[in-house]
Amino acid sequence: MKVFFIVCAVLGTIGIIGLLVMLTCFRVRVNLGFTLPKGKTIPFEKFIPQSIYGFMVFMAIVGYVGLLLLPLDLPWFFLVPILLMSGMIVNFIGSYLFLPAFKDFWGGKRPTPDLLEGTDAVAMENISGEGYGRVRVRYLERAYTFDCISVYHTDIMKGETVTIVTGEGELLFVQKQSEIYEILKEENV
């Protein structure tokens, strides 16, 4: 149990110090790439840390919950799943409940898809024709990030400019700007 105590103390300390250093000194926008397919009702990908901030919070929670549960003298095979689940639950609560509220408070209310129709956006990553991706939209001098789908199921490359056609909730439907002219040519033929 002494090794478990040391591991939990080190994880918790590294997580808290890393989070404090990142929040006070600089902004890091690193996506760790653990994105899962989008869930229909519950976004399961929000349980897994998606950024370096989420990973630091995960480490801190696992470490400090481990220190809290240490006096119970539970065997390690009970403690490890409890610690992993506690880290995942805190990540879910943080990214699904607190992060949108913080973004609304700090950055203003997010624009609805109706307000963004016809607006240009920039792809933040390569978006396959059959999958999801993210775009950055500038609206009223602020940048917002939205999930998106290609309307015509074409591949969109990172950095490419797209036009927002419509959207539902937090999901936008986008098309390449070159596709607009191709559609007009097809209609004339």
Side-chain angles (χ1 to χ4, degrees), residues 130-149:
E130 299 299 322
Y132 289 83
R134 293 183 311 154
V135 292
R136 174 164 286 133
V137 181
R138 293 205 59 81
Y139 181 76
L140 297 178
E141 302 302 321
R142 293 184 187 226
Y144 298 95
T145 303
F146 285 91
D147 289 336
C148 71
I149 296 177

Side-chain angles (χ1 to χ4, degrees), residues 58 72 75 86 90 103 141 145 182 188:
F58 182 80
L72 297 179
S86 64
V90 168
K103 284 182 179 178
E141 302 302 321
T145 303
E182 292 172 11
N188 289 336

Side-chain angles (χ1 to χ4, degrees), residues 23-167:
L23 290 175
T24 57
C25 296
F26 56 92
R27 290 177 147 184
V28 177
R29 291 180 180 247
V30 177
N31 187 350
L32 298 177
F34 296 124
T35 304
L36 298 176
K38 309 286 184 202
K40 295 274 187 214
T41 55
I42 298 174
F44 291 107
E45 72 275 2
K46 302 250 182 191
F47 282 99
I48 299 171
Q50 296 289 319
S51 65
I52 196 75
Y53 292 106
F55 188 67
M56 288 296 163
V57 168
F58 182 80
M59 279 185 13
I61 293 299
V62 166
Y64 289 127
V65 168
L67 290 177
L68 289 174
L69 295 178
L70 192 61
L72 297 179
D73 287 332
L74 294 172
W76 68 270
F77 50 86
F78 283 127
L79 284 176
V80 171
I82 291 171
L83 296 179
L84 293 176
M85 288 304 296
S86 64
M88 288 180 178
I89 289 170
V90 168
N91 263 311
F92 176 79
I93 291 170
S95 64
Y96 195 67
L97 298 176
F98 293 135
L99 189 60
F102 175 75
K103 284 182 179 178
D104 286 347
F105 173 75
W106 188 263
K109 192 78 171 159
R110 286 174 64 92
T112 61
D114 297 340
L115 296 173
L116 297 174
E117 287 181 10
T119 308
D120 291 342
V122 177
M124 296 177 61
E125 58 195 14
N126 290 337
I127 304 167
S128 76
E130 299 299 322
Y132 289 83
R134 293 183 311 154
V135 292
R136 174 164 286 133
V137 181
R138 293 205 59 81
Y139 181 76
L140 297 178
E141 302 302 321
R142 293 184 187 226
Y144 298 95
T145 303
F146 285 91
D147 289 336
C148 71
I149 296 177
S150 175
V151 174
Y152 300 110
H153 303 292
T154 55
D155 295 337
I156 300 170
M157 304 314 284
K158 179 179 180 179
E160 193 170 355
T161 303
V162 294
T163 302
I164 299 168
V165 177
T166 186

